[in-house]
Amino acid sequence: MRTGAGAGHTGYLHEAICYDSDEHLLDVVVPFLLGGVAAGEPTMVSFGERNAGLVRTALPPGCPVTYLTGGEVYARPAGAIRSYRTLLAEHVQRGAGQIRIVGELGRPQFGPTWDWWARYESAINHAYDEFPLWSMCAYDTRATPAHVLADVLRTHPKTAGPFDRHTANAQYTDPETFLLENRPEVADPLQRATPASDTLDGQPGESRRIVREAGAGRVGPAKLDDLTLAVSEIVANAHRYGRPPVRMRVWAGPGRVVVTVTDTGPGPKDPFAGLLPAASETSAGFGLWIAHQVCDHVSMQRGPDGFSIRLTVSDQTG
């Protein structure tokens, strides 16, 4: 049986917290967590160290709230969805009638890679449909860029406030529409230079060789292996499902390799392609899902001249 704002709600309840002070954050989060604990619901916090500390201090000693530490599995949107789905399924198997999670994204994710995190926030409105989840995503309005906050209102059906207020967001856009929009693409500095390779209609085997040669010594072997796998899958997809010509360009710099693959087709029809597992290994979405699992950033652009995917791996942090 669901409690609080989740009472009578079917599936996933997804809300934002747009807060402007620590007190504002705690006024929303603490009652949310205590309500879950009182109801015997699995209740979790996925905050950075600072805000997790604020919550720990505000809650009663020994309060049975779980603090999640994701590490690498939560570093990429597709990996986060996969990990959360596993976690939610485990709780449902143990009989949970509702699960509560409050979380936040780190500030680095508001930078050049925000496009795929915006897609994540939209996609999870569908990705967790089968689970009795009530989650709140916290955004500090003092530190979050305006364009990110605009996307927050478009990807969260409601905003939660103090005193158990839950306001519908008029800007909310269904995932099937939002995910097929072009996200603003931030140019990678490496792309200002002449590419190390620029080829037309190369096959997957040739693409693997080119990426390995261009990236050798630029990133670590594991990163290069991941990128080589992703590029091979994307080039195969372009030949199988796109339209010729298929153009692949590679840029390589210290600690970073960027690859773009472009064809003249419209791109995948599935709005969730890449973020959710494909129906089978022979479907068009499988290669995109692999790329989203192993690359440090994947961006996609649709335009009058075709469909383009940019894959990035980096040894750099932050």
Side-chain angles (χ1 to χ4, degrees), residues 138-151:
Y139 288 86
D140 186 342
T141 60
R142 300 164 297 181
T144 306
H147 72 280
V148 172
L149 290 174
D151 282 335

Side-chain angles (χ1 to χ4, degrees), residues 155-168:
T155 55
H156 293 74
K158 293 185 177 182
T159 295
F163 311 111
D164 200 31
R165 295 199 308 269
H166 306 274
T167 305

Side-chain angles (χ1 to χ4, degrees), residues 46-298:
S46 182
F47 277 170
E49 184 176 351
R50 179 188 180 277
N51 282 350
L54 286 174
V55 172
R56 286 181 190 274
T57 301
L59 291 175
C63 189
V65 168
T66 300
Y67 293 83
L68 301 176
T69 54
E72 280 299 312
V73 296
Y74 296 104
R76 302 178 178 96
I81 291 174
R82 174 169 48 85
S83 298
Y84 274 123
R85 283 182 56 84
T86 299
L87 176 66
L88 297 170
E90 291 171 352
H91 282 294
V92 169
Q93 288 170 2
R94 292 197 288 265
Q98 180 167 266
I99 303 158
R100 300 193 189 204
I101 301 177
V102 60
E104 65 181 354
L105 296 175
R107 290 187 189 179
Q109 291 156 329
F110 300 158
T113 65
W114 169 248
D115 61 298
W116 72 343
W117 287 106
R119 294 183 66 242
Y120 164 86
E121 286 281 37
S122 180
I124 61 176
N125 288 292
H126 168 70
Y128 306 145
D129 273 348
E130 69 212 74
F131 302 108
L133 173 63
W134 179 9
S135 79
M136 294 183 179
C137 305
Y139 288 86
D140 186 342
T141 60
R142 300 164 297 181
T144 306
H147 72 280
V148 172
L149 290 174
D151 282 335
V152 169
L153 297 181
R154 295 190 66 207
T155 55
H156 293 74
K158 293 185 177 182
T159 295
F163 311 111
D164 200 31
R165 295 199 308 269
H166 306 274
T167 305
N169 291 324
Q171 301 94 323
Y172 176 68
T173 306
D174 67 88
E176 287 78 6
T177 298
F178 186 92
L179 294 172
L180 290 177
E181 297 175 356
N182 276 336
R183 303 297 310 155
E185 188 173 43
V186 179
D188 191 288
L190 278 182
Q191 293 178 281
R192 298 171 188 157
T194 301
S197 176
D198 188 342
T199 57
L200 284 178
D201 293 325
Q203 295 299 311
E206 182 186 3
S207 73
R208 291 193 294 270
R209 176 186 60 78
I210 290 171
V211 170
R212 285 198 175 281
E213 290 179 357
R218 298 294 193 170
V219 294
K223 290 280 188 180
L224 190 55
D225 285 346
D226 286 342
L227 180 61
T228 301
L229 170 63
V231 168
S232 180
E233 292 285 344
I234 296 304
V235 168
N237 267 4
H239 282 289
R240 188 176 299 122
Y241 304 107
R243 296 173 187 163
V246 175
R247 183 181 188 185
M248 185 184 80
R249 287 176 288 178
V250 183
W251 293 263
R256 190 173 187 82
V257 181
V258 176
V259 179
T260 61
V261 179
T262 303
D263 68 78
T264 59
K269 295 179 180 179
D270 179 5
F272 302 96
L275 292 172
L276 297 182
S280 73
E281 292 187 11
T282 59
S283 69
F286 183 73
L288 266 175
W289 188 75
I290 291 292
H292 277 72
Q293 295 291 325
V294 302
C295 292
D296 295 316
H297 185 220
V298 178

